[in-house]
Amino acid sequence: MPDTTTALPAVGSRCWRDLISTESSVTVLSLAAESLNVDPLVELAYDEGGSGWWPLSTLVLEQ
């Protein structure tokens, strides 16, 4: 179960993907959290094109 004290990324915010490239990043398109007991999904749009849904527990968020 994900850490529920970590805030969800805001829709439209930018996320840097340091492990892929310092020049690549993604934009948060939407969030899907049906209940507190389910790992919320985050839809990311990639600078290279396309998008994908990721469980929040797989993302590393830093402020």
Side-chain angles (χ1 to χ4, degrees):
M1 183 161 170
D3 178 1
T4 56
T5 61
T6 302
L8 289 171
V11 172
S13 65
R14 300 286 288 175
C15 302
W16 295 100
R17 295 183 292 157
D18 294 330
L19 295 178
I20 295 173
S21 169
T22 56
E23 296 175 4
S24 293
S25 58
V26 298
T27 300
V28 177
L29 293 181
S30 58
L31 307 171
E34 296 178 5
S35 78
L36 294 177
N37 297 328
V38 177
D39 196 4
L41 294 176
V42 180
E43 183 182 16
L44 303 175
Y46 311 113
D47 282 356
E48 300 87 0
S51 67
W53 285 92
W54 293 87
L56 179 61
S57 63
T58 64
L59 303 178
V60 177
L61 307 175
E62 185 176 313
Q63 295 181 354

PDB file of all heavy atoms in Angstrom, residues 14-55:
ATOM      1  N   ARG A  14       5.040  19.182 -13.810  1.00  0.00           N
ATOM      2  CA  ARG A  14       6.114  18.531 -14.552  1.00  0.00           C
ATOM      3  C   ARG A  14       6.872  17.589 -13.635  1.00  0.00           C
ATOM      4  O   ARG A  14       7.094  17.877 -12.470  1.00  0.00           O
ATOM      5  CB  ARG A  14       7.098  19.564 -15.103  1.00  0.00           C
ATOM      6  CG  ARG A  14       6.486  20.564 -16.044  1.00  0.00           C
ATOM      7  CD  ARG A  14       6.172  19.984 -17.388  1.00  0.00           C
ATOM      8  NE  ARG A  14       7.406  19.745 -18.108  1.00  0.00           N
ATOM      9  CZ  ARG A  14       7.471  19.147 -19.273  1.00  0.00           C
ATOM     10  NH1 ARG A  14       6.386  18.725 -19.863  1.00  0.00           N
ATOM     11  NH2 ARG A  14       8.607  18.955 -19.868  1.00  0.00           N
ATOM     12  N   CYS A  15       7.275  16.431 -14.162  1.00  0.00           N
ATOM     13  CA  CYS A  15       8.056  15.437 -13.435  1.00  0.00           C
ATOM     14  C   CYS A  15       9.313  15.157 -14.247  1.00  0.00           C
ATOM     15  O   CYS A  15       9.224  14.764 -15.400  1.00  0.00           O
ATOM     16  CB  CYS A  15       7.261  14.145 -13.259  1.00  0.00           C
ATOM     17  SG  CYS A  15       5.710  14.334 -12.398  1.00  0.00           S
ATOM     18  N   TRP A  16      10.477  15.337 -13.646  1.00  0.00           N
ATOM     19  CA  TRP A  16      11.732  15.057 -14.347  1.00  0.00           C
ATOM     20  C   TRP A  16      12.082  13.600 -14.206  1.00  0.00           C
ATOM     21  O   TRP A  16      11.912  13.007 -13.160  1.00  0.00           O
ATOM     22  CB  TRP A  16      12.856  15.934 -13.795  1.00  0.00           C
ATOM     23  CG  TRP A  16      12.582  17.360 -14.067  1.00  0.00           C
ATOM     24  CD1 TRP A  16      12.070  18.280 -13.185  1.00  0.00           C
ATOM     25  CD2 TRP A  16      12.717  18.040 -15.299  1.00  0.00           C
ATOM     26  NE1 TRP A  16      11.895  19.479 -13.807  1.00  0.00           N
ATOM     27  CE2 TRP A  16      12.282  19.372 -15.108  1.00  0.00           C
ATOM     28  CE3 TRP A  16      13.146  17.663 -16.563  1.00  0.00           C
ATOM     29  CZ2 TRP A  16      12.289  20.313 -16.126  1.00  0.00           C
ATOM     30  CZ3 TRP A  16      13.151  18.612 -17.563  1.00  0.00           C
ATOM     31  CH2 TRP A  16      12.737  19.909 -17.341  1.00  0.00           C
ATOM     32  N   ARG A  17      12.565  13.009 -15.281  1.00  0.00           N
ATOM     33  CA  ARG A  17      12.958  11.602 -15.274  1.00  0.00           C
ATOM     34  C   ARG A  17      14.475  11.521 -15.340  1.00  0.00           C
ATOM     35  O   ARG A  17      15.067  11.286 -16.372  1.00  0.00           O
ATOM     36  CB  ARG A  17      12.305  10.879 -16.451  1.00  0.00           C
ATOM     37  CG  ARG A  17      10.790  10.863 -16.308  1.00  0.00           C
ATOM     38  CD  ARG A  17      10.138  10.098 -17.426  1.00  0.00           C
ATOM     39  NE  ARG A  17      10.307  10.795 -18.691  1.00  0.00           N
ATOM     40  CZ  ARG A  17      10.248  10.213 -19.879  1.00  0.00           C
ATOM     41  NH1 ARG A  17      10.025   8.936 -19.973  1.00  0.00           N
ATOM     42  NH2 ARG A  17      10.389  10.911 -20.972  1.00  0.00           N
ATOM     43  N   ASP A  18      15.118  11.712 -14.215  1.00  0.00           N
ATOM     44  CA  ASP A  18      16.579  11.776 -14.147  1.00  0.00           C
ATOM     45  C   ASP A  18      17.257  10.495 -14.606  1.00  0.00           C
ATOM     46  O   ASP A  18      18.336  10.544 -15.168  1.00  0.00           O
ATOM     47  CB  ASP A  18      17.044  12.112 -12.730  1.00  0.00           C
ATOM     48  CG  ASP A  18      16.624  13.507 -12.315  1.00  0.00           C
ATOM     49  OD1 ASP A  18      16.513  14.373 -13.190  1.00  0.00           O
ATOM     50  OD2 ASP A  18      16.408  13.723 -11.122  1.00  0.00           O
ATOM     51  N   LEU A  19      16.646   9.335 -14.344  1.00  0.00           N
ATOM     52  CA  LEU A  19      17.296   8.083 -14.722  1.00  0.00           C
ATOM     53  C   LEU A  19      17.264   7.847 -16.222  1.00  0.00           C
ATOM     54  O   LEU A  19      18.060   7.100 -16.749  1.00  0.00           O
ATOM     55  CB  LEU A  19      16.630   6.907 -13.999  1.00  0.00           C
ATOM     56  CG  LEU A  19      16.776   6.916 -12.484  1.00  0.00           C
ATOM     57  CD1 LEU A  19      16.026   5.728 -11.884  1.00  0.00           C
ATOM     58  CD2 LEU A  19      18.241   6.854 -12.095  1.00  0.00           C
ATOM     59  N   ILE A  20      16.342   8.507 -16.940  1.00  0.00           N
ATOM     60  CA  ILE A  20      16.249   8.336 -18.387  1.00  0.00           C
ATOM     61  C   ILE A  20      17.096   9.386 -19.092  1.00  0.00           C
ATOM     62  O   ILE A  20      17.920   9.066 -19.933  1.00  0.00           O
ATOM     63  CB  ILE A  20      14.782   8.414 -18.853  1.00  0.00           C
ATOM     64  CG1 ILE A  20      14.013   7.224 -18.273  1.00  0.00           C
ATOM     65  CG2 ILE A  20      14.680   8.453 -20.368  1.00  0.00           C
ATOM     66  CD1 ILE A  20      12.536   7.258 -18.519  1.00  0.00           C
ATOM     67  N   SER A  21      16.883  10.637 -18.732  1.00  0.00           N
ATOM     68  CA  SER A  21      17.626  11.722 -19.363  1.00  0.00           C
ATOM     69  C   SER A  21      17.384  12.999 -18.586  1.00  0.00           C
ATOM     70  O   SER A  21      16.282  13.237 -18.113  1.00  0.00           O
ATOM     71  CB  SER A  21      17.162  11.910 -20.811  1.00  0.00           C
ATOM     72  OG  SER A  21      17.673  13.103 -21.354  1.00  0.00           O
ATOM     73  N   THR A  22      18.404  13.814 -18.471  1.00  0.00           N
ATOM     74  CA  THR A  22      18.230  15.101 -17.792  1.00  0.00           C
ATOM     75  C   THR A  22      17.382  16.049 -18.631  1.00  0.00           C
ATOM     76  O   THR A  22      16.900  17.044 -18.126  1.00  0.00           O
ATOM     77  CB  THR A  22      19.584  15.755 -17.500  1.00  0.00           C
ATOM     78  OG1 THR A  22      20.303  15.888 -18.737  1.00  0.00           O
ATOM     79  CG2 THR A  22      20.392  14.930 -16.521  1.00  0.00           C
ATOM     80  N   GLU A  23      17.211  15.742 -19.921  1.00  0.00           N
ATOM     81  CA  GLU A  23      16.430  16.607 -20.799  1.00  0.00           C
ATOM     82  C   GLU A  23      15.009  16.106 -21.002  1.00  0.00           C
ATOM     83  O   GLU A  23      14.189  16.803 -21.576  1.00  0.00           O
ATOM     84  CB  GLU A  23      17.137  16.739 -22.146  1.00  0.00           C
ATOM     85  CG  GLU A  23      18.492  17.414 -22.026  1.00  0.00           C
ATOM     86  CD  GLU A  23      19.243  17.448 -23.339  1.00  0.00           C
ATOM     87  OE1 GLU A  23      18.691  17.022 -24.357  1.00  0.00           O
ATOM     88  OE2 GLU A  23      20.386  17.908 -23.336  1.00  0.00           O
ATOM     89  N   SER A  24      14.694  14.896 -20.560  1.00  0.00           N
ATOM     90  CA  SER A  24      13.355  14.337 -20.727  1.00  0.00           C
ATOM     91  C   SER A  24      12.529  14.583 -19.480  1.00  0.00           C
ATOM     92  O   SER A  24      13.039  14.536 -18.369  1.00  0.00           O
ATOM     93  CB  SER A  24      13.417  12.830 -20.964  1.00  0.00           C
ATOM     94  OG  SER A  24      14.009  12.565 -22.204  1.00  0.00           O
ATOM     95  N   SER A  25      11.274  14.817 -19.690  1.00  0.00           N
ATOM     96  CA  SER A  25      10.372  14.946 -18.553  1.00  0.00           C
ATOM     97  C   SER A  25       8.974  14.572 -18.989  1.00  0.00           C
ATOM     98  O   SER A  25       8.728  14.266 -20.146  1.00  0.00           O
ATOM     99  CB  SER A  25      10.402  16.367 -17.995  1.00  0.00           C
ATOM    100  OG  SER A  25      10.046  17.294 -18.999  1.00  0.00           O
ATOM    101  N   VAL A  26       8.073  14.561 -18.038  1.00  0.00           N
ATOM    102  CA  VAL A  26       6.693  14.186 -18.303  1.00  0.00           C
ATOM    103  C   VAL A  26       5.785  15.230 -17.680  1.00  0.00           C
ATOM    104  O   VAL A  26       6.193  15.990 -16.813  1.00  0.00           O
ATOM    105  CB  VAL A  26       6.367  12.797 -17.721  1.00  0.00           C
ATOM    106  CG1 VAL A  26       7.224  11.734 -18.356  1.00  0.00           C
ATOM    107  CG2 VAL A  26       6.509  12.757 -16.215  1.00  0.00           C
ATOM    108  N   THR A  27       4.547  15.255 -18.121  1.00  0.00           N
ATOM    109  CA  THR A  27       3.524  16.124 -17.545  1.00  0.00           C
ATOM    110  C   THR A  27       2.430  15.248 -16.976  1.00  0.00           C
ATOM    111  O   THR A  27       2.011  14.273 -17.607  1.00  0.00           O
ATOM    112  CB  THR A  27       2.927  17.046 -18.629  1.00  0.00           C
ATOM    113  OG1 THR A  27       3.970  17.835 -19.180  1.00  0.00           O
ATOM    114  CG2 THR A  27       1.866  17.962 -18.047  1.00  0.00           C
ATOM    115  N   VAL A  28       1.967  15.580 -15.778  1.00  0.00           N
ATOM    116  CA  VAL A  28       0.864  14.849 -15.165  1.00  0.00           C
ATOM    117  C   VAL A  28      -0.422  15.272 -15.862  1.00  0.00           C
ATOM    118  O   VAL A  28      -0.795  16.435 -15.857  1.00  0.00           O
ATOM    119  CB  VAL A  28       0.776  15.131 -13.654  1.00  0.00           C
ATOM    120  CG1 VAL A  28      -0.424  14.420 -13.044  1.00  0.00           C
ATOM    121  CG2 VAL A  28       2.063  14.714 -12.954  1.00  0.00           C
ATOM    122  N   LEU A  29      -1.094  14.298 -16.514  1.00  0.00           N
ATOM    123  CA  LEU A  29      -2.333  14.591 -17.234  1.00  0.00           C
ATOM    124  C   LEU A  29      -3.564  14.414 -16.368  1.00  0.00           C
ATOM    125  O   LEU A  29      -4.496  15.205 -16.421  1.00  0.00           O
ATOM    126  CB  LEU A  29      -2.471  13.679 -18.456  1.00  0.00           C
ATOM    127  CG  LEU A  29      -1.482  13.873 -19.586  1.00  0.00           C
ATOM    128  CD1 LEU A  29      -1.805  12.904 -20.716  1.00  0.00           C
ATOM    129  CD2 LEU A  29      -1.503  15.298 -20.092  1.00  0.00           C
ATOM    130  N   SER A  30      -3.609  13.348 -15.593  1.00  0.00           N
ATOM    131  CA  SER A  30      -4.782  13.094 -14.765  1.00  0.00           C
ATOM    132  C   SER A  30      -4.453  12.124 -13.645  1.00  0.00           C
ATOM    133  O   SER A  30      -3.412  11.466 -13.659  1.00  0.00           O
ATOM    134  CB  SER A  30      -5.944  12.569 -15.608  1.00  0.00           C
ATOM    135  OG  SER A  30      -5.578  11.397 -16.275  1.00  0.00           O
ATOM    136  N   LEU A  31      -5.334  12.082 -12.666  1.00  0.00           N
ATOM    137  CA  LEU A  31      -5.194  11.207 -11.506  1.00  0.00           C
ATOM    138  C   LEU A  31      -6.446  10.363 -11.388  1.00  0.00           C
ATOM    139  O   LEU A  31      -7.543  10.843 -11.682  1.00  0.00           O
ATOM    140  CB  LEU A  31      -5.020  12.030 -10.227  1.00  0.00           C
ATOM    141  CG  LEU A  31      -3.916  13.089 -10.234  1.00  0.00           C
ATOM    142  CD1 LEU A  31      -4.009  13.958  -8.990  1.00  0.00           C
ATOM    143  CD2 LEU A  31      -2.553  12.441 -10.319  1.00  0.00           C
ATOM    144  N   ALA A  32      -6.310   9.127 -10.959  1.00  0.00           N
ATOM    145  CA  ALA A  32      -7.460   8.260 -10.749  1.00  0.00           C
ATOM    146  C   ALA A  32      -7.312   7.585  -9.392  1.00  0.00           C
ATOM    147  O   ALA A  32      -6.485   6.705  -9.229  1.00  0.00           O
ATOM    148  CB  ALA A  32      -7.554   7.215 -11.855  1.00  0.00           C
ATOM    149  N   ALA A  33      -8.080   8.058  -8.435  1.00  0.00           N
ATOM    150  CA  ALA A  33      -8.051   7.491  -7.087  1.00  0.00           C
ATOM    151  C   ALA A  33      -9.487   7.162  -6.703  1.00  0.00           C
ATOM    152  O   ALA A  33     -10.251   8.031  -6.313  1.00  0.00           O
ATOM    153  CB  ALA A  33      -7.434   8.479  -6.114  1.00  0.00           C
ATOM    154  N   GLU A  34      -9.843   5.886  -6.839  1.00  0.00           N
ATOM    155  CA  GLU A  34     -11.216   5.483  -6.563  1.00  0.00           C
ATOM    156  C   GLU A  34     -11.492   5.336  -5.073  1.00  0.00           C
ATOM    157  O   GLU A  34     -12.603   5.559  -4.627  1.00  0.00           O
ATOM    158  CB  GLU A  34     -11.529   4.181  -7.301  1.00  0.00           C
ATOM    159  CG  GLU A  34     -11.479   4.357  -8.808  1.00  0.00           C
ATOM    160  CD  GLU A  34     -11.731   3.061  -9.542  1.00  0.00           C
ATOM    161  OE1 GLU A  34     -12.037   2.056  -8.889  1.00  0.00           O
ATOM    162  OE2 GLU A  34     -11.621   3.069 -10.778  1.00  0.00           O
ATOM    163  N   SER A  35     -10.499   4.956  -4.297  1.00  0.00           N
ATOM    164  CA  SER A  35     -10.672   4.855  -2.844  1.00  0.00           C
ATOM    165  C   SER A  35      -9.301   4.933  -2.193  1.00  0.00           C
ATOM    166  O   SER A  35      -8.272   4.795  -2.857  1.00  0.00           O
ATOM    167  CB  SER A  35     -11.377   3.563  -2.461  1.00  0.00           C
ATOM    168  OG  SER A  35     -10.484   2.480  -2.504  1.00  0.00           O
ATOM    169  N   LEU A  36      -9.288   5.130  -0.888  1.00  0.00           N
ATOM    170  CA  LEU A  36      -8.022   5.207  -0.161  1.00  0.00           C
ATOM    171  C   LEU A  36      -7.333   3.851  -0.061  1.00  0.00           C
ATOM    172  O   LEU A  36      -6.153   3.779   0.235  1.00  0.00           O
ATOM    173  CB  LEU A  36      -8.261   5.778   1.240  1.00  0.00           C
ATOM    174  CG  LEU A  36      -8.731   7.226   1.279  1.00  0.00           C
ATOM    175  CD1 LEU A  36      -9.008   7.640   2.728  1.00  0.00           C
ATOM    176  CD2 LEU A  36      -7.699   8.144   0.661  1.00  0.00           C
ATOM    177  N   ASN A  37      -8.060   2.762  -0.295  1.00  0.00           N
ATOM    178  CA  ASN A  37      -7.487   1.421  -0.178  1.00  0.00           C
ATOM    179  C   ASN A  37      -6.825   0.937  -1.463  1.00  0.00           C
ATOM    180  O   ASN A  37      -6.241  -0.133  -1.489  1.00  0.00           O
ATOM    181  CB  ASN A  37      -8.576   0.426   0.243  1.00  0.00           C
ATOM    182  CG  ASN A  37      -9.135   0.762   1.600  1.00  0.00           C
ATOM    183  OD1 ASN A  37      -8.428   1.279   2.464  1.00  0.00           O
ATOM    184  ND2 ASN A  37     -10.407   0.496   1.801  1.00  0.00           N
ATOM    185  N   VAL A  38      -6.940   1.698  -2.537  1.00  0.00           N
ATOM    186  CA  VAL A  38      -6.391   1.307  -3.832  1.00  0.00           C
ATOM    187  C   VAL A  38      -5.250   2.255  -4.186  1.00  0.00           C
ATOM    188  O   VAL A  38      -5.332   3.454  -3.950  1.00  0.00           O
ATOM    189  CB  VAL A  38      -7.493   1.361  -4.915  1.00  0.00           C
ATOM    190  CG1 VAL A  38      -6.928   1.026  -6.277  1.00  0.00           C
ATOM    191  CG2 VAL A  38      -8.632   0.423  -4.567  1.00  0.00           C
ATOM    192  N   ASP A  39      -4.172   1.705  -4.752  1.00  0.00           N
ATOM    193  CA  ASP A  39      -3.050   2.531  -5.194  1.00  0.00           C
ATOM    194  C   ASP A  39      -3.534   3.453  -6.315  1.00  0.00           C
ATOM    195  O   ASP A  39      -3.941   2.972  -7.373  1.00  0.00           O
ATOM    196  CB  ASP A  39      -1.938   1.606  -5.699  1.00  0.00           C
ATOM    197  CG  ASP A  39      -0.600   2.297  -5.827  1.00  0.00           C
ATOM    198  OD1 ASP A  39      -0.493   3.481  -5.462  1.00  0.00           O
ATOM    199  OD2 ASP A  39       0.342   1.639  -6.295  1.00  0.00           O
ATOM    200  N   PRO A  40      -3.522   4.777  -6.106  1.00  0.00           N
ATOM    201  CA  PRO A  40      -4.002   5.692  -7.152  1.00  0.00           C
ATOM    202  C   PRO A  40      -3.160   5.578  -8.419  1.00  0.00           C
ATOM    203  O   PRO A  40      -1.967   5.273  -8.366  1.00  0.00           O
ATOM    204  CB  PRO A  40      -3.824   7.076  -6.532  1.00  0.00           C
ATOM    205  CG  PRO A  40      -3.662   6.847  -5.075  1.00  0.00           C
ATOM    206  CD  PRO A  40      -3.070   5.482  -4.925  1.00  0.00           C
ATOM    207  N   LEU A  41      -3.767   5.819  -9.565  1.00  0.00           N
ATOM    208  CA  LEU A  41      -3.062   5.809 -10.842  1.00  0.00           C
ATOM    209  C   LEU A  41      -2.831   7.237 -11.301  1.00  0.00           C
ATOM    210  O   LEU A  41      -3.674   8.110 -11.120  1.00  0.00           O
ATOM    211  CB  LEU A  41      -3.872   5.052 -11.893  1.00  0.00           C
ATOM    212  CG  LEU A  41      -4.038   3.557 -11.642  1.00  0.00           C
ATOM    213  CD1 LEU A  41      -4.953   2.947 -12.706  1.00  0.00           C
ATOM    214  CD2 LEU A  41      -2.696   2.845 -11.642  1.00  0.00           C
ATOM    215  N   VAL A  42      -1.668   7.466 -11.907  1.00  0.00           N
ATOM    216  CA  VAL A  42      -1.289   8.773 -12.423  1.00  0.00           C
ATOM    217  C   VAL A  42      -1.018   8.620 -13.909  1.00  0.00           C
ATOM    218  O   VAL A  42      -0.239   7.762 -14.312  1.00  0.00           O
ATOM    219  CB  VAL A  42      -0.018   9.299 -11.709  1.00  0.00           C
ATOM    220  CG1 VAL A  42       0.380  10.664 -12.231  1.00  0.00           C
ATOM    221  CG2 VAL A  42      -0.227   9.336 -10.189  1.00  0.00           C
ATOM    222  N   GLU A  43      -1.680   9.440 -14.736  1.00  0.00           N
ATOM    223  CA  GLU A  43      -1.432   9.409 -16.181  1.00  0.00           C
ATOM    224  C   GLU A  43      -0.361  10.442 -16.512  1.00  0.00           C
ATOM    225  O   GLU A  43      -0.507  11.619 -16.199  1.00  0.00           O
ATOM    226  CB  GLU A  43      -2.695   9.703 -16.970  1.00  0.00           C
ATOM    227  CG  GLU A  43      -2.465   9.594 -18.476  1.00  0.00           C
ATOM    228  CD  GLU A  43      -3.684   9.916 -19.311  1.00  0.00           C
ATOM    229  OE1 GLU A  43      -4.641  10.507 -18.786  1.00  0.00           O
ATOM    230  OE2 GLU A  43      -3.665   9.576 -20.503  1.00  0.00           O
ATOM    231  N   LEU A  44       0.709   9.996 -17.154  1.00  0.00           N
ATOM    232  CA  LEU A  44       1.829  10.864 -17.519  1.00  0.00           C
ATOM    233  C   LEU A  44       1.938  10.958 -19.033  1.00  0.00           C
ATOM    234  O   LEU A  44       1.831   9.950 -19.727  1.00  0.00           O
ATOM    235  CB  LEU A  44       3.139  10.304 -16.952  1.00  0.00           C
ATOM    236  CG  LEU A  44       3.196  10.098 -15.441  1.00  0.00           C
ATOM    237  CD1 LEU A  44       4.517   9.430 -15.062  1.00  0.00           C
ATOM    238  CD2 LEU A  44       3.012  11.401 -14.700  1.00  0.00           C
ATOM    239  N   ALA A  45       2.161  12.171 -19.549  1.00  0.00           N
ATOM    240  CA  ALA A  45       2.433  12.380 -20.976  1.00  0.00           C
ATOM    241  C   ALA A  45       3.932  12.592 -21.124  1.00  0.00           C
ATOM    242  O   ALA A  45       4.523  13.425 -20.448  1.00  0.00           O
ATOM    243  CB  ALA A  45       1.676  13.601 -21.493  1.00  0.00           C
ATOM    244  N   TYR A  46       4.547  11.821 -22.011  1.00  0.00           N
ATOM    245  CA  TYR A  46       5.997  11.864 -22.187  1.00  0.00           C
ATOM    246  C   TYR A  46       6.393  12.903 -23.226  1.00  0.00           C
ATOM    247  O   TYR A  46       5.718  13.068 -24.237  1.00  0.00           O
ATOM    248  CB  TYR A  46       6.513  10.484 -22.606  1.00  0.00           C
ATOM    249  CG  TYR A  46       5.982   9.382 -21.723  1.00  0.00           C
ATOM    250  CD1 TYR A  46       5.111   8.427 -22.224  1.00  0.00           C
ATOM    251  CD2 TYR A  46       6.338   9.319 -20.384  1.00  0.00           C
ATOM    252  CE1 TYR A  46       4.609   7.423 -21.410  1.00  0.00           C
ATOM    253  CE2 TYR A  46       5.837   8.315 -19.564  1.00  0.00           C
ATOM    254  CZ  TYR A  46       4.978   7.376 -20.082  1.00  0.00           C
ATOM    255  OH  TYR A  46       4.474   6.393 -19.283  1.00  0.00           O
ATOM    256  N   ASP A  47       7.506  13.597 -22.975  1.00  0.00           N
ATOM    257  CA  ASP A  47       8.017  14.577 -23.940  1.00  0.00           C
ATOM    258  C   ASP A  47       8.285  13.941 -25.294  1.00  0.00           C
ATOM    259  O   ASP A  47       8.166  14.581 -26.325  1.00  0.00           O
ATOM    260  CB  ASP A  47       9.302  15.229 -23.430  1.00  0.00           C
ATOM    261  CG  ASP A  47       9.042  16.303 -22.393  1.00  0.00           C
ATOM    262  OD1 ASP A  47       7.857  16.601 -22.117  1.00  0.00           O
ATOM    263  OD2 ASP A  47      10.012  16.842 -21.842  1.00  0.00           O
ATOM    264  N   GLU A  48       8.657  12.656 -25.307  1.00  0.00           N
ATOM    265  CA  GLU A  48       8.958  11.957 -26.552  1.00  0.00           C
ATOM    266  C   GLU A  48       7.686  11.572 -27.313  1.00  0.00           C
ATOM    267  O   GLU A  48       7.746  11.080 -28.426  1.00  0.00           O
ATOM    268  CB  GLU A  48       9.757  10.681 -26.264  1.00  0.00           C
ATOM    269  CG  GLU A  48      11.081  10.923 -25.570  1.00  0.00           C
ATOM    270  CD  GLU A  48      10.948  10.967 -24.055  1.00  0.00           C
ATOM    271  OE1 GLU A  48       9.826  10.818 -23.532  1.00  0.00           O
ATOM    272  OE2 GLU A  48      11.972  11.167 -23.387  1.00  0.00           O
ATOM    273  N   GLY A  49       6.525  11.766 -26.678  1.00  0.00           N
ATOM    274  CA  GLY A  49       5.251  11.410 -27.289  1.00  0.00           C
ATOM    275  C   GLY A  49       4.589  10.271 -26.549  1.00  0.00           C
ATOM    276  O   GLY A  49       5.253   9.459 -25.899  1.00  0.00           O
ATOM    277  N   GLY A  50       3.289  10.210 -26.606  1.00  0.00           N
ATOM    278  CA  GLY A  50       2.533   9.158 -25.951  1.00  0.00           C
ATOM    279  C   GLY A  50       2.286   9.459 -24.486  1.00  0.00           C
ATOM    280  O   GLY A  50       2.698  10.489 -23.958  1.00  0.00           O
ATOM    281  N   SER A  51       1.578   8.544 -23.836  1.00  0.00           N
ATOM    282  CA  SER A  51       1.296   8.684 -22.416  1.00  0.00           C
ATOM    283  C   SER A  51       1.141   7.300 -21.813  1.00  0.00           C
ATOM    284  O   SER A  51       1.064   6.298 -22.526  1.00  0.00           O
ATOM    285  CB  SER A  51       0.026   9.513 -22.195  1.00  0.00           C
ATOM    286  OG  SER A  51      -1.109   8.814 -22.669  1.00  0.00           O
ATOM    287  N   GLY A  52       1.087   7.244 -20.505  1.00  0.00           N
ATOM    288  CA  GLY A  52       0.905   5.975 -19.822  1.00  0.00           C
ATOM    289  C   GLY A  52       0.407   6.181 -18.409  1.00  0.00           C
ATOM    290  O   GLY A  52       0.609   7.241 -17.817  1.00  0.00           O
ATOM    291  N   TRP A  53      -0.286   5.160 -17.890  1.00  0.00           N
ATOM    292  CA  TRP A  53      -0.784   5.187 -16.516  1.00  0.00           C
ATOM    293  C   TRP A  53       0.197   4.435 -15.623  1.00  0.00           C
ATOM    294  O   TRP A  53       0.648   3.349 -15.964  1.00  0.00           O
ATOM    295  CB  TRP A  53      -2.151   4.517 -16.444  1.00  0.00           C
ATOM    296  CG  TRP A  53      -3.245   5.367 -17.013  1.00  0.00           C
ATOM    297  CD1 TRP A  53      -3.699   5.354 -18.301  1.00  0.00           C
ATOM    298  CD2 TRP A  53      -4.013   6.354 -16.328  1.00  0.00           C
ATOM    299  NE1 TRP A  53      -4.709   6.272 -18.457  1.00  0.00           N
ATOM    300  CE2 TRP A  53      -4.935   6.905 -17.260  1.00  0.00           C
ATOM    301  CE3 TRP A  53      -4.030   6.826 -15.021  1.00  0.00           C
ATOM    302  CZ2 TRP A  53      -5.835   7.895 -16.917  1.00  0.00           C
ATOM    303  CZ3 TRP A  53      -4.932   7.805 -14.677  1.00  0.00           C
ATOM    304  CH2 TRP A  53      -5.821   8.335 -15.619  1.00  0.00           C
ATOM    305  N   TRP A  54       0.525   5.017 -14.459  1.00  0.00           N
ATOM    306  CA  TRP A  54       1.455   4.403 -13.513  1.00  0.00           C
ATOM    307  C   TRP A  54       0.840   4.414 -12.114  1.00  0.00           C
ATOM    308  O   TRP A  54       0.250   5.413 -11.706  1.00  0.00           O
ATOM    309  CB  TRP A  54       2.765   5.194 -13.467  1.00  0.00           C
ATOM    310  CG  TRP A  54       3.527   5.117 -14.736  1.00  0.00           C
ATOM    311  CD1 TRP A  54       3.391   5.916 -15.831  1.00  0.00           C
ATOM    312  CD2 TRP A  54       4.519   4.173 -15.061  1.00  0.00           C
ATOM    313  NE1 TRP A  54       4.248   5.529 -16.816  1.00  0.00           N
ATOM    314  CE2 TRP A  54       4.962   4.460 -16.372  1.00  0.00           C
ATOM    315  CE3 TRP A  54       5.095   3.113 -14.372  1.00  0.00           C
ATOM    316  CZ2 TRP A  54       5.946   3.709 -16.997  1.00  0.00           C
ATOM    317  CZ3 TRP A  54       6.088   2.379 -15.002  1.00  0.00           C
ATOM    318  CH2 TRP A  54       6.500   2.686 -16.301  1.00  0.00           C
ATOM    319  N   PRO A  55       0.993   3.331 -11.348  1.00  0.00           N
ATOM    320  CA  PRO A  55       0.556   3.357  -9.949  1.00  0.00           C
ATOM    321  C   PRO A  55       1.398   4.385  -9.183  1.00  0.00           C
ATOM    322  O   PRO A  55       2.615   4.485  -9.402  1.00  0.00           O
ATOM    323  CB  PRO A  55       0.846   1.944  -9.443  1.00  0.00           C
ATOM    324  CG  PRO A  55       0.978   1.110 -10.678  1.00  0.00           C
ATOM    325  CD  PRO A  55       1.495   2.018 -11.740  1.00  0.00           C
TER     326      PRO A  55
END
